[in-house]
Amino acid sequence: MSATTLDPAEIAKFNALAADWWNPKGPFGALHRLNPVRLQFVRDFALRYFGSASARPLKGLDVLDVGCGGGLVSIPLARMGADVLGVDAAPEAVGAARAYAERTGVTVTYENTSAEALVERGAQFDLVTALEIVEHVSDVNAFLEAAAALVKPGGALVLSTINRTPKARALAIVGAERILKWAPEGAHDYDKLVTPEEIRTGAPGIKWEEPVGITYAPLGAGWSLTDDISVNYMIAGVRPEGS
């Protein structure tokens, strides 16, 4: 693969914030609050698609978490029984993830590398997760091509991101970053947000399911999975056997 997915400005941004990954009141506080819903989606998908046992739904699966950051997703995936490799282009974030995993006694392998570098190595996994990363890469189609190539035939790919809609601009960027300060201002570029249709087009070899929305309800209700995909959404798909 000749195209690179790495965006130096995005890497620098997340390197600078690496020390705060596990601070639930810090710049990644919104991800901490969102995380239970994202993990619920992955867990429920694994139970349904892989026929997993409910106690450890990822037991026996090789899982890749692309854009792992400080390990907010990869560490819980390991606790669900998976053999997890977490990769990120930001070396400081990888260091934070590795340190937290060691401190909590969770076994996760981490590498400072990219999806396309793993493709060049011929790596493939039962399940690939790419949560809140597709909107931070330099070439969305190259990233989706790489992510799909990393899925074994019969395996699955799960993504989550922010839709490119006027409502998402108002709530996820203006509201969340500039008013509520849930994320660092400038964390998201509206023009880099990705629609579900663009994900399907970028990875046509994946048989995609319908996206599921993630919506925030105020007054203590918090985040939940909904039919509204106009702001945050998750989407899962499978790579057919023999492909």
Side-chain angles (χ1 to χ4, degrees):
M1 300 180 66
S2 58
T4 179
T5 65
L6 304 184
D7 185 326
E10 295 282 354
I11 294 170
K13 181 194 313 180
F14 288 101
N15 267 333
L17 297 170
D20 291 313
W21 267 105
W22 287 93
N23 178 6
K25 296 183 179 179
F28 297 107
L31 287 182
H32 281 267
R33 292 188 290 273
L34 188 62
N35 219 28
V37 175
R38 300 191 300 177
L39 294 169
Q40 176 192 340
F41 181 92
V42 174
R43 178 183 181 277
D44 290 349
F45 178 81
L47 289 172
R48 175 166 49 87
Y49 178 68
F50 292 107
S52 309
S54 59
R56 303 194 79 196
L58 301 182
K59 184 175 176 58
L61 298 180
D62 290 321
V63 176
L64 171 67
D65 183 27
V66 184
C68 66
L72 296 188
V73 172
S74 52
I75 290 173
L77 294 181
R79 287 177 171 144
M80 291 186 202
D83 182 2
V84 182
L85 171 63
V87 302
D88 201 284
E92 298 296 331
V94 170
R98 186 178 290 122
Y100 192 87
E102 290 174 354
R103 189 162 65 249
T104 55
V106 179
T107 301
V108 182
T109 301
Y110 288 105
E111 289 188 35
N112 174 212
T113 190
S114 65
E116 61 267 26
L118 291 177
V119 173
E120 293 291 345
R121 282 161 41 182
Q124 288 191 318
F125 302 83
D126 299 304
L127 173 65
V128 176
T129 60
L131 310 188
E132 273 64 54
I133 183 60
V134 69
E135 70 271 27
H136 297 294
V137 302
S138 65
D139 186 326
V140 171
N141 285 335
F143 178 82
L144 291 170
E145 179 186 356
L150 290 166
V151 179
K152 294 177 182 178
L157 176 59
V158 176
L159 292 90
S160 65
T161 189
I162 303 172
N163 208 345
R164 192 175 66 255
T165 65
K167 185 176 179 180
R169 185 200 294 270
L171 297 182
I173 296 179
V174 176
E177 294 182 16
R178 302 174 191 173
I179 298 174
L180 297 174
K181 305 298 182 182
W182 282 359
E185 190 164 345
H188 298 98
D189 179 343
Y190 178 77
D191 293 331
K192 294 182 72 173
L193 302 184
V194 184
T195 68
E197 292 74 20
E198 289 165 342
I199 286 177
R200 291 191 182 96
T201 299
I206 299 294
K207 185 177 180 182
W208 293 103
E209 298 186 346
E210 289 301 310
V212 174
I214 304 178
T215 303
Y216 180 78
L219 304 178
W223 295 95
S224 61
L225 298 173
T226 71
D227 294 330
D228 182 1
I229 65 169
S230 60
V231 184
N232 297 82
Y233 68 93
M234 299 191 74
I235 186 167
V238 301
R239 180 175 176 179
E241 292 280 3
S243 65

